Structure formats: structure tokens, C-alpha cells
Amino acid sequence: MVARASQLFVPTLRDAPADAEAVSHKLLVRGAFIRQVSAGVWTFLPLGWRVHQKVVQIVREELDAIGGQEMLMPVLTPAELWQRTGRYRIPEVFKLNDRAGREFVLPMTHEETVTFHAREIQSYRELPQILYHFSVKDRDEPRPRGGLLRVREFVMKDSYSFDRDDEGLDRAFQAHRGAYERIFERCGIETYGVEAESGMMGGSESVDFLAPSGSGENTLVTCEAGDFAADLEIARGVPRPPVFPPPLDRPDEVATPGVTTIEALAELLGIDAAATSKAMPVTKEDGTVVLALVRGDDRLEPNKLAEALAAPSRPASDEEIRAAFGASGGSLGPVGFAGEIVADETLREGQFVTGANRDGWHLRGVEAGRDFAPRFADLRESRDGDTCPRCGGRLRFQTAIEVGHIFKLGTTYSDPLEATFLDESGVERPLVMGSYGIGPGRVLAAAVEQRHDDRGILWPPAIAPFDVHVLALSAGSTEVADVAAAVADELDRAGHAVLLDERDERPGEKFADADLLGCPVRVTIGKKTLGDGAVDVRRRSADADERIARSMLLTWMEDD
């Protein structure tokens, strides 16, 4: 059925919201695809929902192709399930009570619920299984921003695999990875599947699918040679070697009054900032203070530290620092510290300048192994100037949107929720799980970020709201309007989704809206058509119209 612009709810805007920074935020609001209800809470207007559901259908087809079974689980979830898995304490989880005082959560993902249902699997003969759904998720995001990029409520496809062993999980994981690659290719967006942190999901392994963009919450790290890609959270770039001063037989104390930053320390001593170490004391949940050390010119990556400690932590308070080190921040170091020390791998070799644990003093010539006994781990955040760990090529850093994430959960959820099956020998064993998420809204935003120009959106054909935008420049002529309607009907019968703009608006207004909405093809019918039987056609990515005979329109549409 041909959609008529005069009958649609498409309140386009000439100006973007004042607070909009991301291109996708600006264009999706201006094009009447979305509207904000409150911070991080958005409505998909009719055009936006058409695009969203086209993404959903592509995801559905690819999940069905690998054996997925669609279902629907509720948003309202008993808190008991989340308490049993230990995730109830996560601050981003919305919590509420009903009128009887019973506790519930509004989940951001459904591992607990689907595992609850999987307890009905009794035997190895019922495995493997892949269950999935599209459902509203909620997340108590403290700083929503960027339109659809960081929100408090969203629709997500989450699928879950259930297997008898790790070998089965590997097969399900790879099947989902292949499905995701096909999904993003069909949706017309560029993505990279990279190793990533599992975070609050848990498990042993995960792959993040990142779409390079002008805005986003992730940083994609790639090698210029194309042989390396990773999320910044786990990327292991190789930094330049430090320029060390002459070595010392033992640490040497040096006065550094008023010096509390690496930059000031390097300038005072006339040394390379990379030849210093930076002390980052953190406190674990049990109150224990741990000293994390990175090179002075580096930044600590919080997710890497969390993995190294295998426990949550927070920056130590001033009181905790004074009690543990006998000094204040800016003069801290590993020598003489009695607690656990975790040092970055870059501190294995060489002598570094560190804090002396005495205000206004530092130590030169501090060497790991000789002067303190750390545990080593990868703690640093990769940065510009690093080289590839595989080939030595230059690393590139790009802002990216996370559009999908897949996890090997193992028995992280089946153990506490007692989801088991009987193997061939009648032995009860926990189900081995995987979890796989895609955010259709994020795919939509990524498409806009990657495909736009100064006039508006250039939708990939597979997810465009309409295939063809027919403009009737009738200027009151019923004959032109009738020809435009006939052309729209002809395209519709040929299987194309058609938007007919038959509104009584100026041509410039119609052209501006067509460019903003970004349908792949525009067909313009005006008074000249009555004389020569031709129409103006333009692909959204082209710079100029072509004039072709109306009788050739369907043939032209089929040409690539």
C-alpha cells in the first residue's frame, strides 16, 4: 500500500535539538524518526519504528537460520532470581516493590529469566537449544546522552544457547558470530568483531561488535595492516620504550617539594615521563588497599584492573591512603608498601622514579623484583603512538558504537539457579550457556552515523523506511497529482515500498524533506512530465537527477 505523506505523522524539523551532539541524534529527531520523552527515554515515531522493525526482521531471519526459537519473556522479573546470581546489587538495575512489598527488577538483560525456564530441560537428548526474544530492557543509566546511543530504556534481541559441554558452546558461539556478521552486512553497516570484557555479564569470553562512527561510547583499536582489532578496554598496544637515566645500585631519595603530577616530576628531574611510575591505590570491598602501578605516561584501564583483581574496587579515599602509605596522593610508591601491588607489564624491566611515601619526596632508580615484589598484569590503556602487538604497525583509534555483544557464560547462571540435565550416565550436570545481544536501535543509529551528508540520512536499502520517495510537484494541477499517484501505484505493485509526497507544499520543502528522510530513491513528477512523459530520478547517494522515460522507471529501479 502506498503511504501518503499528507496522512502520515512525520513532524520533521528544520533545526536539531540544542543539546544534540551526535549526528544520529540530530538527524533522527529532525527527520521525525524519534522523539524524547525524558532523559534517556525515547519514542520511535512511525518512520523510526518502520526502520527499527526492518532491522528486527533481518535479525529474526538470521537467528531462525541457526536454529533459534523465538519467545517472549516478561520485563517485570522477581528480584529473587537476580539475588541468587549476585547481580541484584548492580547499581544500573531498576528495582521496585509491588503493593504487597514483593521485590522486582526491570532487567537490562534476561539471563536469569531464561535460565529459570531452562530448568525444564531434563536430558542431554533435549540439547542443544537456542532461545531468543525481542523485549524492552531498562537500565538506570546515570548519564543518558546521544539520542539512541546511551539510553535508559531500549529494545534488545537477546538469545541464549544451552549445551551439554564447552564444545557445544563453542559451536553455538561461532554460529552466532557468523549470524551477526551476516546481520550487520545485510543492514549495511561496517562492523568489527573484537575481543572484549564480559563485565557484569560474567563468563569466560566475549566478542563485541563495534561500528565505527562519529559518536559512541566505545573506542575501536585497529592496526593499519588490518591484522588486529580490539575494544580499547582490552587492547594491548605496544608503547614506545622509555628513555632511562643511568641505573643506580639502590633507590635514591630526592626532594620534590610541591610536585604532585607526573608532568611536573619529569620536568623537575629532566627525565622522560615514561621513566616514572604512577601510583593508583584502590580499595576492595573488604577494605583492603591495593596499589596499582602504571607507567607515568600511561592511564590505568579500570576494566583491566578489575580483571586483574578478580574483584570490584574503588579509588582509595584520602584517609585510606594516609593510613596505608603514610603520605598523601602525589608522593606514593611501591617501596615499603606492605599491601598487594599489581604492576603493569611495562614496569617489568628498567628503573623508574616513584613516590617515596613521604610528602614532597620521590625515589630514583626503583626496580621491580629488587626493591619491591609486584604481581604483573596488563593494566594500561592503549593510546596514540602505540604499535600493533602482532606486526608492529601503527594503531588507529576510532570512536565506535557497540551494536552487538556475544558471551560464553559457561555455568555462571545455571549453577546458582540449579539449571541441570542428566547425561548419558544419568549424572546431573549444569547446563552450559551462551548469551548473545543485539540492539536494533543502536544498529539504526550506527547506520545514520556512517551514512549521512549535510542534507540528511542515506539509509542502507535493506532498512530504509521506504524504498522510493515519489514527489508530486503539482502546484495545484490535478493531472500532475494523478500521474504521481499512478507512478506510485506502479512501483507499489512491483514490490517497492513507496512514500508519495502529494502535500500542498513548495518544491524546496519537499526536496529538503526527501533528503532528510533519506529513502534510497527519489522520483519527481512535475508539469514537464505531462509534456514529455519523463520523470526525474535520483539515488540518494547521487549528486544530480537523471531524466528518464516513465516507461523505463521500473527497469531503472532494478539497475544497480
Side-chain angles (χ1 to χ4, degrees):
M1 181 181 296
V2 174
R4 293 177 173 265
S6 64
Q7 300 171 5
L8 296 183
F9 182 57
V10 187
T12 58
L13 303 174
R14 296 279 74 88
D15 298 313
D19 63 339
E21 297 178 358
V23 169
S24 57
H25 184 179
K26 296 175 182 178
L27 293 179
L28 289 171
V29 171
R30 287 188 54 215
F33 292 91
I34 60 174
R35 283 293 186 270
Q36 185 170 336
V37 178
S38 65
V41 180
W42 291 85
T43 291
F44 283 92
L45 298 183
L47 286 187
W49 192 243
R50 283 181 67 93
V51 178
H52 186 280
Q53 292 306 90
K54 285 191 171 186
V55 176
V56 164
Q57 184 58 27
I58 290 172
V59 175
R60 177 179 288 119
E61 290 171 4
E62 295 296 341
L63 263 291
D64 288 349
I66 63 170
Q69 304 165 75
E70 187 170 359
M71 60 192 299
L72 180 62
M73 290 175 277
V75 178
L76 192 64
T77 304
E80 177 194 358
L81 296 177
W82 283 65
Q83 290 164 347
R84 290 177 64 178
T85 62
R87 295 208 300 172
Y88 186 71
R89 64 185 179 184
I90 295 173
E92 289 81 8
V93 175
F94 275 107
K95 305 173 179 70
L96 69 156
N97 295 81
D98 68 8
R99 67 182 66 192
R102 290 181 290 261
E103 296 177 315
F104 293 86
V105 302
L106 302 179
M108 62 192 75
T109 184
H110 275 72
E111 280 75 13
E112 282 81 1
T113 305
V114 77
T115 307
F116 168 82
H117 291 302
R119 293 189 299 188
E120 295 191 52
I121 295 173
Q122 300 296 313
S123 168
Y124 71 94
R125 294 186 180 89
E126 301 171 61
L127 298 172
Q129 296 278 354
I130 296 175
L131 304 175
Y132 76 95
H133 73 159
F134 296 90
S135 179
V136 170
K137 315 290 183 182
D138 290 279
R139 175 186 173 93
D140 192 3
E141 173 59 57
R143 293 177 298 278
R145 59 176 291 273
L148 299 180
L149 299 183
R150 186 191 279 179
V151 295
R152 308 186 85 191
E153 183 170 283
F154 52 98
V155 173
M156 187 171 75
K157 183 287 300 176
D158 39 329
S159 54
Y160 303 93
S161 63
F162 297 91
D163 288 276
R164 56 179 299 167
D165 52 29
D166 289 340
E167 184 178 345
L169 173 58
D170 287 340
R171 286 193 295 269
F173 191 82
Q174 293 306 321
H176 275 84
R177 183 167 189 163
Y180 275 37
E181 290 168 353
R182 292 188 294 274
I183 287 165
F184 299 132
E185 181 178 5
R186 290 179 62 185
C187 289
I189 62 173
E190 177 191 9
T191 60
Y192 292 80
V194 302
E195 295 181 12
E197 288 290 339
S198 295
M200 68 178 68
M201 299 290 290
S204 61
E205 180 182 344
S206 76
V207 171
D208 206 355
F209 290 86
L210 300 181
S213 63
S215 300
E217 299 300 313
N218 294 69
T219 300
L220 171 65
V221 184
T222 56
C223 175
E224 61 183 351
D227 60 350
F228 176 80
D231 191 303
L232 181 64
E233 291 183 349
I234 68 164
R236 299 187 65 146
V238 179
R240 67 172 178 84
V243 178
F244 288 112
L248 302 176
D249 292 335
R250 64 182 64 84
D252 178 43
E253 199 171 47
V254 57
T256 53
V259 173
T260 58
T261 67
I262 293 297
E263 293 77 12
L265 178 64
E267 182 178 359
L268 176 68
L269 300 182
I271 60 172
D272 182 3
T276 69
S277 72
K278 185 185 299 181
M280 309 287 288
V282 297
T283 303
K284 296 197 292 188
E285 289 184 323
D286 63 2
T288 303
V289 175
V290 176
L291 177 60
L293 289 176
V294 295
R295 224 168 69 171
D297 60 335
D298 281 333
R299 294 179 60 180
L300 177 72
E301 215 307 312
N303 290 286
K304 290 183 177 182
L305 177 61
E307 182 178 4
L309 296 180
S313 66
R314 57 169 174 77
S317 67
D318 291 341
E319 293 76 12
E320 291 168 334
I321 289 172
R322 176 64 67 175
F325 294 91
S328 58
S331 297
L332 308 181
V335 178
F337 175 61
E340 180 184 6
I341 301 172
V342 183
D344 184 70
E345 298 282 359
T346 55
L347 300 176
R348 278 186 182 273
E349 305 292 337
Q351 293 186 352
F352 295 82
V353 176
T354 74
N357 294 327
R358 187 155 70 104
D359 290 343
W361 293 84
H362 281 76
L363 293 175
R364 296 185 295 188
V366 175
E367 184 177 320
R370 186 192 68 182
D371 304 313
F372 67 101
R375 176 166 61 88
F376 290 102
D378 175 31
L379 299 180
R380 67 182 294 271
E381 180 181 278
S382 294
R383 59 190 177 90
D384 282 333
D386 285 0
T387 56
C388 176
R390 294 179 180 170
C391 71
R394 182 177 61 87
L395 292 183
R396 179 175 59 168
F397 296 77
Q398 298 172 272
T399 302
I401 299 171
E402 178 189 298
V403 291
H405 206 149
I406 60 178
F407 304 84
K408 287 185 177 181
L409 300 178
T411 60
T412 302
Y413 296 86
S414 53
D415 278 337
L417 293 172
E418 299 178 346
T420 62
F421 70 99
L422 298 179
D423 66 13
E424 298 94 328
S425 303
V427 175
E428 190 175 58
R429 297 169 54 191
L431 291 166
V432 181
M433 293 176 56
S435 175
Y436 316 89
I438 281 182
R442 289 233 174 154
V443 172
L444 189 154
V448 177
E449 290 285 338
Q450 292 183 354
R451 301 175 61 136
H452 66 272
D453 59 19
D454 58 356
R455 302 191 304 274
I457 301 169
L458 290 83
W459 286 112
I463 63 173
F466 296 94
D467 302 325
V468 191
H469 198 159
V470 177
L471 306 187
L473 306 186
S474 56
S477 168
T478 57
E479 290 180 277
V480 171
D482 289 345
V483 171
V487 168
D489 287 337
E490 184 180 357
L491 289 165
D492 177 63
R493 288 193 300 271
H496 301 288
V498 183
L499 171 61
L500 172 61
D501 189 349
E502 85 299 19
R503 298 173 300 161
D504 184 19
E505 298 287 353
R506 298 188 308 273
E509 190 80 10
K510 293 189 175 186
F511 288 134
D513 276 350
D515 285 339
L516 179 60
L517 300 187
C519 298
V521 172
R522 185 178 80 195
V523 179
T524 305
I525 292 96
K527 289 186 176 180
K528 286 173 59 179
T529 304
L530 302 179
D532 63 8
V535 297
D536 290 322
V537 294
R538 180 189 293 198
R539 300 197 187 280
R540 179 62 182 82
S541 56
D543 295 325
D545 287 347
E546 299 177 50
R547 191 152 186 87
I548 64 171
R550 175 184 166 185
S551 61
M552 296 299 296
L553 179 57
L554 292 181
T555 301
W556 183 89
M557 287 286 298
E558 299 304 322
D559 291 339
D560 187 25

